[in-house]
Coordinates of all heavy atoms in Angstrom, one line a residue:
M9 N -128.2 81.4 -107.6 CA -127.2 82.2 -108.3 C -127.1 83.5 -107.7 O -128.1 84.2 -107.5 CB -127.7 82.3 -109.8 CG -127.2 81.2 -110.7 SD -127.1 81.7 -112.4 CE -128.6 81.3 -113.0
G10 N -125.9 83.9 -107.3 CA -125.6 85.2 -106.7 C -125.0 86.1 -107.7 O -125.0 85.9 -108.9
M11 N -124.5 87.2 -107.2 CA -123.9 88.2 -107.9 C -122.4 87.9 -108.1 O -121.8 87.3 -107.2 CB -124.0 89.5 -107.2 CG -123.4 90.7 -107.9 SD -124.6 91.3 -109.1 CE -124.0 92.9 -109.4
V12 N -121.8 88.1 -109.2 CA -120.4 87.9 -109.5 C -119.7 89.3 -109.6 O -120.2 90.2 -110.3 CB -120.2 87.1 -110.8 CG1 -118.7 87.1 -111.1 CG2 -120.7 85.7 -110.6
T13 N -118.6 89.5 -108.9 CA -117.9 90.7 -109.0 C -116.6 90.5 -109.7 O -115.8 89.6 -109.3 CB -117.6 91.3 -107.6 OG1 -118.8 91.5 -106.9 CG2 -116.9 92.6 -107.7
I14 N -116.3 91.2 -110.8 CA -115.1 91.2 -111.5 C -114.3 92.4 -111.1 O -114.8 93.5 -111.3 CB -115.3 91.1 -113.0 CG1 -116.1 89.9 -113.4 CG2 -113.9 91.2 -113.8 CD1 -116.5 89.9 -114.9
K15 N -113.1 92.3 -110.6 CA -112.3 93.4 -110.2 C -111.1 93.4 -111.2 O -110.4 92.4 -111.4 CB -111.8 93.3 -108.8 CG -112.9 93.5 -107.8 CD -112.4 93.4 -106.4 CE -113.6 93.5 -105.4 NZ -113.2 93.2 -104.0
I16 N -110.8 94.6 -111.7 CA -109.7 94.8 -112.6 C -108.8 95.8 -111.9 O -109.1 96.9 -111.6 CB -110.1 95.3 -114.0 CG1 -111.0 94.2 -114.7 CG2 -108.9 95.6 -114.8 CD1 -112.0 94.8 -115.6
I17 N -107.6 95.3 -111.6 CA -106.6 96.1 -110.9 C -105.5 96.6 -111.8 O -104.9 95.8 -112.5 CB -106.0 95.3 -109.7 CG1 -107.1 94.9 -108.7 CG2 -105.0 96.2 -108.9 CD1 -106.7 94.0 -107.6
G18 N -105.3 97.9 -111.9 CA -104.3 98.4 -112.7 C -103.9 99.8 -112.3 O -104.4 100.4 -111.3
P19 N -103.0 100.5 -113.1 CA -102.5 101.8 -112.7 C -103.6 102.9 -113.1 O -104.5 102.6 -113.9 CB -101.3 102.0 -113.6 CG -101.5 101.1 -114.8 CD -102.3 99.9 -114.3
T20 N -103.4 104.0 -112.5 CA -104.2 105.2 -112.9 C -103.2 106.2 -113.4 O -102.3 106.6 -112.7 CB -105.0 105.7 -111.7 OG1 -105.9 104.7 -111.2 CG2 -105.8 107.0 -112.1
P21 N -103.4 106.7 -114.7 CA -104.4 106.3 -115.6 C -104.2 104.9 -116.1 O -103.0 104.4 -116.1 CB -104.3 107.3 -116.8 CG -102.9 107.8 -116.7 CD -102.5 107.7 -115.2
P22 N -105.3 104.2 -116.5 CA -105.1 102.8 -116.9 C -104.3 102.7 -118.2 O -104.3 103.5 -119.1 CB -106.6 102.4 -117.2 CG -107.4 103.6 -117.4 CD -106.6 104.7 -116.7
C23 N -103.5 101.6 -118.2 CA -102.7 101.2 -119.4 C -103.7 100.6 -120.5 O -104.8 100.3 -120.2 CB -101.6 100.2 -119.0 SG -102.2 98.6 -118.5
S24 N -103.1 100.5 -121.7 CA -104.0 100.0 -122.8 C -104.5 98.5 -122.5 O -105.6 98.2 -122.8 CB -103.2 100.0 -124.1 OG -102.0 99.3 -124.0
K25 N -103.6 97.7 -121.8 CA -104.0 96.3 -121.5 C -105.2 96.4 -120.5 O -106.1 95.6 -120.6 CB -102.9 95.5 -120.9 CG -101.8 95.1 -121.9 CD -100.8 94.3 -121.1 CE -99.7 93.7 -122.0 NZ -98.7 92.9 -121.2
C26 N -105.1 97.2 -119.5 CA -106.1 97.3 -118.5 C -107.4 97.8 -119.1 O -108.5 97.3 -118.8 CB -105.7 98.3 -117.4 SG -104.2 97.7 -116.5
K27 N -107.3 98.8 -120.0 CA -108.6 99.3 -120.7 C -109.2 98.2 -121.5 O -110.4 98.0 -121.5 CB -108.2 100.4 -121.6 CG -107.9 101.7 -120.9 CD -107.6 102.8 -121.9 CE -107.0 104.0 -121.3 NZ -106.5 105.0 -122.3
E28 N -108.4 97.4 -122.2 CA -108.9 96.3 -123.0 C -109.6 95.2 -122.2 O -110.7 94.8 -122.5 CB -107.8 95.7 -123.9 CG -108.3 94.7 -124.9 CD -109.3 95.1 -125.9 OE1 -109.4 96.3 -126.2 OE2 -110.2 94.3 -126.3
V29 N -109.0 94.8 -121.1 CA -109.6 93.7 -120.3 C -110.8 94.2 -119.6 O -111.8 93.5 -119.5 CB -108.5 93.1 -119.3 CG1 -108.4 93.9 -118.1 CG2 -108.9 91.7 -119.0
E30 N -110.9 95.5 -119.3 CA -112.1 96.1 -118.6 C -113.2 96.1 -119.7 O -114.3 95.8 -119.4 CB -111.8 97.5 -118.1 CG -113.0 98.1 -117.4 CD -112.7 99.5 -116.9 OE1 -111.7 100.1 -117.1 OE2 -113.6 100.0 -116.2
K31 N -112.9 96.5 -120.9 CA -113.9 96.5 -122.0 C -114.5 95.1 -122.2 O -115.7 94.9 -122.3 CB -113.2 97.0 -123.3 CG -114.2 97.2 -124.4 CD -113.5 97.9 -125.6 CE -113.0 96.8 -126.5 NZ -112.3 97.4 -127.7
R32 N -113.6 94.1 -122.2 CA -114.0 92.7 -122.4 C -114.9 92.2 -121.2 O -115.9 91.5 -121.4 CB -112.8 91.8 -122.6 CG -112.1 92.1 -123.9 CD -110.9 91.2 -124.1 NE -110.2 91.6 -125.3 CZ -109.1 91.0 -125.7 NH1 -108.5 90.0 -125.1 NH2 -108.5 91.4 -126.8
A33 N -114.5 92.6 -120.0 CA -115.3 92.2 -118.8 C -116.7 92.8 -118.9 O -117.7 92.2 -118.6 CB -114.5 92.6 -117.6
K34 N -116.7 94.1 -119.3 CA -118.0 94.7 -119.4 C -118.9 94.1 -120.5 O -120.1 94.0 -120.3 CB -117.8 96.2 -119.7 CG -117.4 96.9 -118.4 CD -117.2 98.4 -118.6 CE -116.9 99.1 -117.3 NZ -116.6 100.5 -117.4
K35 N -118.3 93.6 -121.6 CA -119.1 92.9 -122.6 C -119.7 91.7 -122.0 O -120.9 91.3 -122.3 CB -118.2 92.6 -123.8 CG -118.0 93.8 -124.8 CD -117.3 93.3 -126.0 CE -117.1 94.4 -127.0 NZ -116.3 94.0 -128.2
V36 N -118.9 90.9 -121.3 CA -119.4 89.7 -120.6 C -120.5 90.1 -119.7 O -121.6 89.4 -119.6 CB -118.3 88.9 -119.9 CG1 -118.9 87.8 -119.1 CG2 -117.3 88.4 -120.9
A37 N -120.3 91.1 -118.9 CA -121.3 91.6 -117.9 C -122.7 91.9 -118.6 O -123.7 91.6 -118.0 CB -120.8 92.8 -117.1
Q38 N -122.6 92.5 -119.8 CA -123.9 92.8 -120.5 C -124.7 91.5 -120.8 O -125.9 91.6 -120.9 CB -123.5 93.5 -121.8 CG -123.1 95.0 -121.6 CD -122.6 95.7 -122.8 OE1 -122.4 95.0 -123.9 NE2 -122.5 97.0 -122.8
K39 N -124.0 90.4 -121.1 CA -124.7 89.2 -121.4 C -125.4 88.6 -120.2 O -126.3 87.8 -120.3 CB -123.7 88.1 -121.9 CG -123.0 88.4 -123.2 CD -122.1 87.3 -123.5 CE -121.3 87.6 -124.8 NZ -120.3 86.5 -125.1
Y40 N -125.0 89.0 -119.0 CA -125.6 88.5 -117.7 C -126.1 89.6 -116.9 O -125.8 89.8 -115.8 CB -124.5 87.7 -116.9 CG -123.9 86.5 -117.6 CD1 -122.9 86.6 -118.5 CD2 -124.5 85.3 -117.4 CE1 -122.4 85.5 -119.2 CE2 -124.0 84.2 -118.1 CZ -122.9 84.3 -118.9 OH -122.4 83.2 -119.6
E41 N -126.9 90.4 -117.6 CA -127.4 91.7 -117.0 C -127.9 91.5 -115.6 O -128.7 90.6 -115.3 CB -128.5 92.3 -117.9 CG -128.7 93.7 -117.6 CD -129.7 94.4 -118.6 OE1 -129.6 94.1 -119.8 OE2 -130.6 95.1 -118.1
G42 N -127.4 92.3 -114.7 CA -127.8 92.3 -113.3 C -127.1 91.2 -112.4 O -127.4 91.2 -111.2
K43 N -126.3 90.4 -113.0 CA -125.6 89.4 -112.3 C -124.1 89.6 -112.1 O -123.4 88.9 -111.3 CB -125.8 88.0 -113.0 CG -127.2 87.6 -112.9 CD -127.4 86.2 -113.5 CE -128.8 85.7 -113.3 NZ -129.3 85.1 -114.5
I44 N -123.6 90.6 -112.8 CA -122.1 90.8 -112.8 C -121.9 92.3 -112.6 O -122.4 93.2 -113.2 CB -121.4 90.4 -114.1 CG1 -121.7 88.9 -114.4 CG2 -120.0 90.8 -114.1 CD1 -121.2 88.5 -115.7
E45 N -121.0 92.6 -111.6 CA -120.5 93.9 -111.4 C -119.0 94.0 -111.8 O -118.3 93.1 -111.4 CB -120.7 94.2 -109.9 CG -120.2 95.5 -109.4 CD -120.3 95.7 -107.9 OE1 -120.2 94.7 -107.1 OE2 -120.5 96.8 -107.5
V46 N -118.7 95.0 -112.5 CA -117.3 95.2 -112.9 C -116.7 96.4 -112.2 O -117.3 97.5 -112.3 CB -117.1 95.4 -114.5 CG1 -115.7 95.6 -114.9 CG2 -117.7 94.2 -115.2
L47 N -115.6 96.2 -111.5 CA -115.0 97.3 -110.7 C -113.6 97.5 -111.2 O -112.9 96.5 -111.4 CB -115.0 97.0 -109.2 CG -116.3 96.7 -108.5 CD1 -116.1 96.3 -107.1 CD2 -117.2 98.0 -108.6
K48 N -113.1 98.7 -111.3 CA -111.8 99.1 -111.7 C -111.1 99.6 -110.4 O -111.6 100.5 -109.8 CB -111.8 100.1 -112.8 CG -110.5 100.8 -113.1 CD -109.5 99.9 -113.8 CE -108.2 100.6 -114.1 NZ -107.3 100.9 -113.0
L49 N -110.0 99.0 -110.0 CA -109.3 99.4 -108.8 C -107.9 99.9 -109.1 O -107.2 99.3 -110.0 CB -109.2 98.3 -107.8 CG -110.5 97.7 -107.3 CD1 -110.2 96.4 -106.5 CD2 -111.3 98.6 -106.6
D50 N -107.5 100.9 -108.5 CA -106.1 101.4 -108.7 C -105.1 100.5 -108.0 O -105.4 100.1 -106.8 CB -106.0 102.8 -108.1 CG -104.6 103.5 -108.5 OD1 -103.6 102.9 -108.2 OD2 -104.7 104.6 -109.1
A51 N -104.1 100.1 -108.6 CA -103.1 99.1 -108.1 C -102.5 99.6 -106.8 O -102.1 98.8 -106.0 CB -102.0 98.8 -109.1
V52 N -102.4 101.0 -106.6 CA -101.7 101.5 -105.4 C -102.7 101.9 -104.3 O -102.4 102.4 -103.3 CB -100.7 102.6 -105.7 CG1 -99.6 102.1 -106.5 CG2 -101.4 103.8 -106.3
S53 N -104.0 101.6 -104.6 CA -105.0 101.9 -103.6 C -104.9 100.8 -102.5 O -104.4 99.8 -102.7 CB -106.4 101.9 -104.2 OG -106.8 100.5 -104.5
P54 N -105.4 101.1 -101.3 CA -105.4 100.1 -100.3 C -106.0 98.8 -100.7 O -105.4 97.7 -100.4 CB -106.2 100.7 -99.1 CG -106.1 102.2 -99.3 CD -106.0 102.4 -100.8
E55 N -107.1 98.8 -101.4 CA -107.7 97.5 -101.9 C -106.9 96.9 -102.9 O -106.7 95.7 -102.9 CB -109.2 97.8 -102.4 CG -109.9 96.4 -102.5 CD -111.4 96.5 -102.8 OE1 -111.9 97.6 -103.1 OE2 -112.0 95.5 -102.8
G56 N -106.3 97.7 -103.8 CA -105.5 97.1 -104.9 C -104.3 96.4 -104.3 O -103.9 95.3 -104.7
R57 N -103.7 97.1 -103.3 CA -102.5 96.5 -102.6 C -102.9 95.2 -101.8 O -102.1 94.3 -101.7 CB -101.9 97.5 -101.7 CG -101.0 98.5 -102.4 CD -100.0 99.2 -101.5 NE -100.7 99.9 -100.4 CZ -101.0 101.2 -100.4 NH1 -100.8 101.9 -101.5 NH2 -101.6 101.8 -99.4
K58 N -104.1 95.2 -101.3 CA -104.5 94.0 -100.5 C -104.4 92.7 -101.3 O -104.1 91.7 -100.8 CB -106.0 94.2 -100.1 CG -106.6 93.1 -99.4 CD -108.0 93.5 -98.9 CE -109.1 93.0 -99.8 NZ -110.4 93.3 -99.4
Y59 N -104.6 92.8 -102.6 CA -104.5 91.6 -103.5 C -103.1 91.4 -104.0 O -102.8 90.4 -104.7 CB -105.5 91.8 -104.7 CG -106.9 91.8 -104.2 CD1 -107.6 93.0 -104.3 CD2 -107.5 90.7 -103.7 CE1 -108.9 93.1 -103.8 CE2 -108.8 90.7 -103.2 CZ -109.5 91.9 -103.3 OH -110.8 92.0 -102.9
G60 N -102.1 92.3 -103.7 CA -100.8 92.1 -104.1 C -100.6 92.0 -105.6 O -99.8 91.2 -106.1
A61 N -101.3 92.8 -106.3 CA -101.3 92.8 -107.8 C -100.1 93.6 -108.2 O -100.1 94.8 -108.4 CB -102.6 93.5 -108.3
L62 N -99.0 92.9 -108.4 CA -97.7 93.5 -108.8 C -97.6 93.6 -110.3 O -97.0 94.5 -110.9 CB -96.5 92.7 -108.3 CG -96.4 92.5 -106.8 CD1 -95.3 91.6 -106.4 CD2 -96.3 93.9 -106.2
I63 N -98.3 92.7 -111.1 CA -98.3 92.7 -112.5 C -99.7 93.0 -113.0 O -100.6 92.3 -112.6 CB -97.8 91.4 -113.1 CG1 -96.4 91.1 -112.6 CG2 -97.8 91.5 -114.6 CD1 -95.9 89.7 -112.9
T64 N -99.9 94.1 -113.7 CA -101.2 94.5 -114.1 C -101.4 94.2 -115.6 O -100.4 94.2 -116.3 CB -101.5 96.0 -113.8 OG1 -100.5 96.8 -114.5 CG2 -101.4 96.2 -112.3
P65 N -102.6 94.0 -116.1 CA -103.8 94.0 -115.3 C -104.0 92.8 -114.5 O -103.7 91.7 -115.0 CB -104.9 94.2 -116.3 CG -104.4 93.6 -117.6 CD -102.9 93.9 -117.5
A66 N -104.5 92.9 -113.3 CA -104.9 91.7 -112.5 C -106.4 91.6 -112.6 O -107.1 92.6 -112.5 CB -104.4 91.9 -111.1
V67 N -106.9 90.4 -112.8 CA -108.3 90.2 -112.9 C -108.8 89.3 -111.8 O -108.2 88.2 -111.7 CB -108.8 89.7 -114.3 CG1 -110.3 89.5 -114.3 CG2 -108.3 90.6 -115.4
L68 N -109.7 89.7 -111.0 CA -110.2 88.9 -109.9 C -111.7 88.6 -110.1 O -112.4 89.5 -110.5 CB -110.1 89.6 -108.5 CG -108.6 89.7 -108.1 CD1 -108.0 91.0 -108.6 CD2 -108.6 89.7 -106.6
I69 N -112.1 87.4 -109.9 CA -113.5 87.0 -109.9 C -113.9 86.6 -108.5 O -113.4 85.7 -108.0 CB -113.8 85.9 -110.9 CG1 -113.2 86.1 -112.3 CG2 -115.3 85.5 -110.9 CD1 -114.1 86.9 -113.2
N70 N -114.8 87.4 -107.9 CA -115.2 87.1 -106.5 C -114.0 87.0 -105.6 O -113.9 86.1 -104.8 CB -116.2 85.9 -106.4 CG -117.5 86.2 -107.0 OD1 -117.9 87.4 -107.2 ND2 -118.3 85.2 -107.2
D71 N -113.1 88.0 -105.8 CA -111.9 88.1 -104.9 C -110.9 87.0 -105.1 O -109.9 86.9 -104.4 CB -112.2 88.2 -103.5 CG -112.9 89.6 -103.2 OD1 -112.6 90.5 -104.0 OD2 -113.6 89.7 -102.2
K72 N -111.0 86.1 -106.2 CA -110.0 85.1 -106.5 C -109.3 85.6 -107.7 O -109.9 85.9 -108.7 CB -110.7 83.7 -106.7 CG -111.3 83.1 -105.4 CD -111.9 81.8 -105.7 CE -113.2 81.9 -106.4 NZ -114.4 81.5 -105.7
V73 N -108.0 85.5 -107.7 CA -107.2 86.0 -108.8 C -107.4 85.0 -110.0 O -107.1 83.8 -109.9 CB -105.7 86.1 -108.5 CG1 -104.9 86.5 -109.7 CG2 -105.5 87.1 -107.3
L74 N -107.9 85.6 -111.1 CA -108.1 84.8 -112.3 C -106.8 84.9 -113.2 O -106.4 83.9 -113.8 CB -109.3 85.3 -113.1 CG -109.6 84.6 -114.4 CD1 -110.0 83.1 -114.1 CD2 -110.8 85.3 -115.0
S75 N -106.3 86.1 -113.3 CA -105.0 86.3 -114.1 C -104.3 87.5 -113.7 O -104.9 88.4 -113.0 CB -105.4 86.4 -115.6 OG -105.8 87.7 -115.9
S76 N -103.1 87.6 -114.1 CA -102.2 88.7 -113.7 C -101.3 89.0 -114.9 O -100.6 88.0 -115.3 CB -101.5 88.4 -112.4 OG -100.7 89.5 -112.1
G77 N -101.3 90.2 -115.4 CA -100.3 90.5 -116.4 C -100.7 90.2 -117.9 O -99.9 90.3 -118.8
K78 N -101.9 89.7 -118.1 CA -102.3 89.4 -119.5 C -103.7 89.8 -119.7 O -104.5 90.0 -118.8 CB -102.1 87.9 -119.8 CG -103.0 87.0 -119.0 CD -102.7 85.5 -119.4 CE -103.6 84.6 -118.7 NZ -103.3 83.2 -118.9
V79 N -104.0 90.0 -121.0 CA -105.3 90.5 -121.4 C -106.1 89.2 -121.7 O -105.9 88.5 -122.7 CB -105.3 91.4 -122.6 CG1 -106.7 91.8 -123.1 CG2 -104.5 92.6 -122.3
L80 N -107.1 88.9 -120.8 CA -107.9 87.7 -121.0 C -108.9 87.9 -122.2 O -109.3 89.0 -122.4 CB -108.7 87.4 -119.8 CG -107.9 87.0 -118.5 CD1 -108.9 86.9 -117.3 CD2 -107.3 85.6 -118.8
S81 N -109.2 86.8 -122.9 CA -110.2 86.9 -123.9 C -111.6 87.0 -123.2 O -111.8 86.6 -122.1 CB -110.2 85.7 -124.8 OG -110.6 84.5 -124.1
E82 N -112.6 87.4 -124.0 CA -114.0 87.4 -123.5 C -114.4 86.0 -123.1 O -115.0 85.8 -122.0 CB -114.9 87.9 -124.5 CG -115.1 89.4 -124.5 CD -116.1 89.9 -125.6 OE1 -117.2 89.5 -125.5 OE2 -115.7 90.7 -126.5
A83 N -114.0 85.0 -123.8 CA -114.3 83.6 -123.6 C -113.7 83.2 -122.2 O -114.4 82.5 -121.5 CB -113.8 82.7 -124.7
D84 N -112.5 83.6 -121.9 CA -111.9 83.2 -120.7 C -112.6 83.8 -119.5 O -112.9 83.2 -118.5 CB -110.4 83.6 -120.6 CG -109.5 82.8 -121.5 OD1 -109.8 81.7 -121.8 OD2 -108.4 83.4 -121.9
I85 N -113.0 85.1 -119.6 CA -113.7 85.8 -118.6 C -115.1 85.1 -118.4 O -115.5 84.9 -117.3 CB -113.8 87.3 -118.9 CG1 -112.5 87.9 -118.9 CG2 -114.7 88.0 -117.9 CD1 -112.4 89.3 -119.5
E86 N -115.8 84.9 -119.5 CA -117.1 84.3 -119.4 C -117.1 82.9 -118.8 O -117.9 82.5 -118.0 CB -117.8 84.2 -120.8 CG -119.2 83.8 -120.7 CD -120.0 84.1 -122.0 OE1 -119.4 84.5 -123.0 OE2 -121.2 83.8 -122.0
R87 N -116.1 82.1 -119.1 CA -115.9 80.8 -118.5 C -115.8 80.9 -117.0 O -116.5 80.1 -116.3 CB -114.7 80.1 -119.1 CG -114.8 78.6 -119.2 CD -113.6 77.9 -119.9 NE -112.5 78.7 -120.5 CZ -112.5 79.1 -121.8 NH1 -113.4 78.8 -122.6 NH2 -111.4 79.8 -122.2
A88 N -115.0 81.8 -116.5 CA -114.9 82.0 -115.1 C -116.1 82.5 -114.4 O -116.5 82.0 -113.3 CB -113.7 83.0 -114.8
V89 N -116.9 83.3 -115.1 CA -118.1 83.9 -114.6 C -119.1 82.7 -114.5 O -119.8 82.6 -113.5 CB -118.7 85.0 -115.5 CG1 -120.1 85.3 -115.2 CG2 -117.8 86.3 -115.3
K90 N -119.2 81.9 -115.5 CA -120.2 80.8 -115.5 C -119.9 79.8 -114.4 O -120.8 79.3 -113.7 CB -120.1 80.0 -116.9 CG -120.9 80.7 -118.0 CD -120.8 79.8 -119.2 CE -121.6 80.4 -120.4 NZ -121.4 79.6 -121.6
K91 N -118.6 79.6 -114.2 CA -118.2 78.7 -113.1 C -118.7 79.3 -111.7 O -119.3 78.6 -110.9 CB -116.7 78.6 -113.1 CG -116.2 77.5 -112.1 CD -114.7 77.4 -112.3 CE -114.1 76.6 -111.2 NZ -112.6 76.6 -111.2
E92 N -118.5 80.6 -111.5 CA -119.0 81.2 -110.3 C -120.5 81.2 -110.2 O -121.0 81.2 -109.1 CB -118.5 82.7 -110.2 CG -117.0 82.8 -109.9 CD -116.6 82.2 -108.6 OE1 -117.2 82.5 -107.6 OE2 -115.6 81.4 -108.5
L93 N -121.2 81.3 -111.3 CA -122.6 81.3 -111.3 C -123.2 79.9 -111.1 O -124.4 79.7 -111.0 CB -123.2 82.0 -112.5 CG -123.0 83.5 -112.7 CD1 -123.4 84.0 -114.1 CD2 -123.8 84.2 -111.6
G94 N -122.3 78.9 -111.1 CA -122.8 77.6 -110.9 C -123.2 76.9 -112.2 O -123.9 75.9 -112.2
G95 N -122.7 77.4 -113.3 CA -123.1 76.8 -114.6 C -121.9 76.4 -115.3 O -121.5 75.7 -116.1

């Protein structure tokens, strides 16, 4: 089992949807202490643009786009994390 990186791409300052999805991702990360890193990226930063995140919030798990433009539930985020962790 390796480390899972959750990237949330959105505007700066973050919109309410971006804040909410980041909060949910951090809650999931707490359940898997030491196994999940949550990063917030600005949509217009070079890295944010690299992913072509036109609709925010964009959520990436290990650099794969999980969703764009919607607030995922904690369960959706956790399901994706478990898959990446091999469970």
Side-chain angles (χ1 to χ4, degrees):
M9 274 206 264
M11 183 81 164
V12 172
T13 302
I14 301 173
K15 293 180 181 174
I16 296 149
I17 301 174
T20 299
C23 66
S24 59
K25 284 181 176 181
C26 296
K27 286 181 193 170
E28 184 59 31
V29 83
E30 183 178 7
K31 186 173 93 178
R32 292 175 185 183
K34 286 182 174 176
K35 279 186 178 177
V36 171
Q38 286 173 347
K39 293 181 187 179
Y40 298 87
E41 200 172 316
K43 294 185 175 137
I44 299 174
E45 176 182 33
V46 178
L47 302 174
K48 166 74 177 71
L49 302 174
D50 190 305
V52 295
S53 70
E55 192 170 10
R57 282 199 301 267
K58 178 173 97 174
Y59 297 107
L62 300 176
I63 303 170
T64 60
V67 179
L68 292 88
I69 305 274
N70 287 345
D71 290 337
K72 292 182 283 249
V73 177
L74 179 62
S75 79
S76 184
K78 64 181 179 183
V79 178
L80 292 173
S81 69
E82 274 181 58
D84 289 337
I85 296 168
E86 189 167 2
R87 210 174 359 265
V89 164
K90 280 183 178 174
K91 189 175 167 189
E92 286 297 312
L93 290 171

